[in-house]
Amino acid sequence: MNRYKLIEKNFDSSINFESEDIFNNKKKVGKIFDVIPNFVKEDLDEITGKMADFYNDVQFPNYDDCEDYSSLYDKGIKNIFTKRLDEELGYGTKILELGCGTGQLSLFLSRSNREIFAVDISNASLKLGEDFREKYQIKNTYFMKMDVFDLKFKQNNFDCIISNGVLHHTKNAEEAFKCLVKVLQPGGIIIIGLYHKYGRLFTRFKQKLANIIGNKIAYLDRTSRKIKSRDKRRAWVKDQFMNPHETLHTPNQVFDWFSSNNVEFLNLIPHYDLNKDRLFSKKEKPNISIIDDLLMAFDSTQIQEGGFFVMVGMKR
Ligand SMILES: C[S@@+](CC[C@H](N)C(=O)[O-])C[C@H]1O[C@@H](n2cnc3c(N)ncnc32)[C@H](O)[C@@H]1O
């Protein structure tokens, strides 16, 4: 029996993991689909296709600094956001990571008997994640190729959905958010990380420069200069400055997405400080003026990290 049969109950009733169709795509898309199910049957639309090609070339994040599971775990624990996730996601939680890339977060969270569904559209990224999973025999993480706009899961299925740095690379971030909320169960938590409209101002400027000077843009970017591994630096530079498609957002816009999809606001990072408070505890919804948004353009952390905010909500 293939291991995916164990999780079949989470999918639409039309999905059968014994069907050759899901695994037997060798001729069309390559060998990895002997082991990773592929739910992308039709040609992808233009933007999603471009993103799949881009992330087949740039696998993000790569495994250069993860020799084994304990180094992957150390990396997760050193980052306050992923550390908090690990602390606050309960034993046995059923999690969808949408746009898992190479799956480092999914694999990091795989302890505590959680069940992790790690979804992406990039064959090369999924393969890196699956190779690591197989090597360290992590049993409860399931990689699969699926497009956020065509999810094959049952509605109201997951306890938690994480999509970090993904929706702004899709053809319609709000629509993608709606698709995610459908498969989240009431009371479930959704965590999305998005590029900030103004926090990304300097990065936008560097993108224009990168059109002219190419990879040399790394010399003008502090974060790139700090990255020692060549491959990792290349992945960061391409992802940040040469990405074929990205959209920019504000927290106020996401508040509207939350209210029109029946999602209650819990937390906004960096507005509330993770060093002081829990990720999933309910905070007062902040009033964010246009000035507050504009000031993000001059926030040094935003500049270094490429302008990013994370919003946490709970489906009612
Ligand atoms: C910047 S990477 C983020 C990876 C990972 N979440 C992280 O934080 O390191 C964006 C990922 O989103 C995936 N992606 C883009 N569009 C997608 C779509 N329509 N459906 C599923 N995944 C998508 C890409 O293939 C890529 O791996």
Side-chain angles (χ1 to χ4, degrees), residues 18-120:
E18 264 152 16
S19 139
E20 294 228 316
D21 213 29
I22 293 177
F23 287 100
N24 195 4
N25 264 305
K26 283 179 240 177
K27 283 198 195 96
K28 202 169 153 208
V29 280
K31 207 167 174 349
I32 64 161
F33 295 110
D34 286 359
V35 284
I36 299 178
N38 173 22
F39 294 97
V40 177
K41 299 291 173 220
E42 308 294 327
D43 286 343
L44 291 163
D45 63 83
E46 196 188 335
I47 290 180
T48 315
K50 256 192 201 167
M51 295 319 297
D53 291 345
F54 180 79
Y55 284 105
N56 279 332
D57 176 37
V58 178
Q59 294 107 46
F60 197 86
N62 75 17
Y63 279 86
D64 274 9
D65 49 2
C66 301
E67 288 147 22
D68 50 25
Y69 190 78
S70 51
S71 46
L72 177 88
Y73 187 74
D74 280 355
K75 188 175 162 189
I77 282 297
K78 277 185 194 139
N79 175 303
I80 181 72
F81 171 66
T82 50
K83 178 173 185 267
R84 282 270 182 258
L85 276 175
D86 188 45
E87 284 166 356
E88 296 182 39
L89 285 167
Y91 186 86
T93 319
K94 197 193 294 183
I95 301 168
L96 167 63
E97 191 193 359
L98 190 285
C100 63
T102 57
Q104 289 189 7
L105 178 61
S106 283
L107 294 166
F108 165 68
L109 294 173
S110 68
R111 297 177 335 136
S112 301
N113 204 30
R114 297 174 187 130
E115 210 171 15
I116 319 259
F117 296 68
V119 167
D120 206 281

Side-chain angles (χ1 to χ4, degrees), residues 133-270:
R133 185 205 71 76
E134 164 88 71
K135 188 164 175 196
Y136 296 101
Q137 282 298 302
I138 299 162
K139 296 216 164 30
N140 51 347
T141 302
Y142 300 89
F143 286 97
M144 53 200 89
K145 180 170 176 176
M146 208 185 281
D147 178 5
V148 65
F149 297 103
D150 187 19
L151 296 176
K152 304 294 186 193
F153 303 109
K154 279 188 182 146
Q155 299 210 346
N156 303 325
N157 191 59
F158 293 100
D159 303 314
C160 176
I161 296 180
I162 306 169
S163 192
N164 203 22
V166 181
L167 303 192
H168 49 230
H169 290 309
T170 67
K171 62 186 175 201
N172 184 332
E174 183 176 2
E175 270 309 305
F177 177 75
K178 272 188 196 161
C179 295
L180 291 180
V181 175
K182 280 190 191 144
V183 298
L184 180 66
Q185 62 161 290
I189 302 275
I190 183 157
I191 301 150
I192 54 168
L194 288 170
Y195 285 150
H196 191 281
K197 187 167 178 185
Y198 302 104
R200 209 157 164 77
L201 205 71
F202 282 93
T203 305
R204 280 286 165 119
F205 174 66
K206 288 178 200 160
Q207 287 174 349
K208 300 260 179 273
L209 265 180
N211 284 336
I212 306 165
I213 63 172
N215 290 335
K216 291 196 183 64
I217 193 67
Y219 297 113
L220 302 177
D221 176 55
R222 210 164 140 196
T223 309
S224 308
R225 289 198 306 267
K226 277 198 225 151
I227 305 174
K228 292 201 182 72
S229 143
R230 227 171 125 204
D231 284 351
K232 231 180 175 46
R233 191 165 53 242
R234 173 180 177 272
W236 169 260
V237 166
K238 286 214 130 199
D239 188 47
Q240 290 296 304
F241 308 121
M242 297 166 186
N243 207 300
H245 178 78
E246 65 175 46
T247 51
L248 303 179
H249 303 275
T250 61
N252 283 330
Q253 192 181 27
V254 183
F255 290 147
D256 289 343
W257 300 357
F258 272 27
S259 46
S260 45
N261 288 281
N262 219 5
V263 173
E264 187 181 340
F265 169 79
L266 294 185
N267 201 351
L268 170 62
I269 297 130

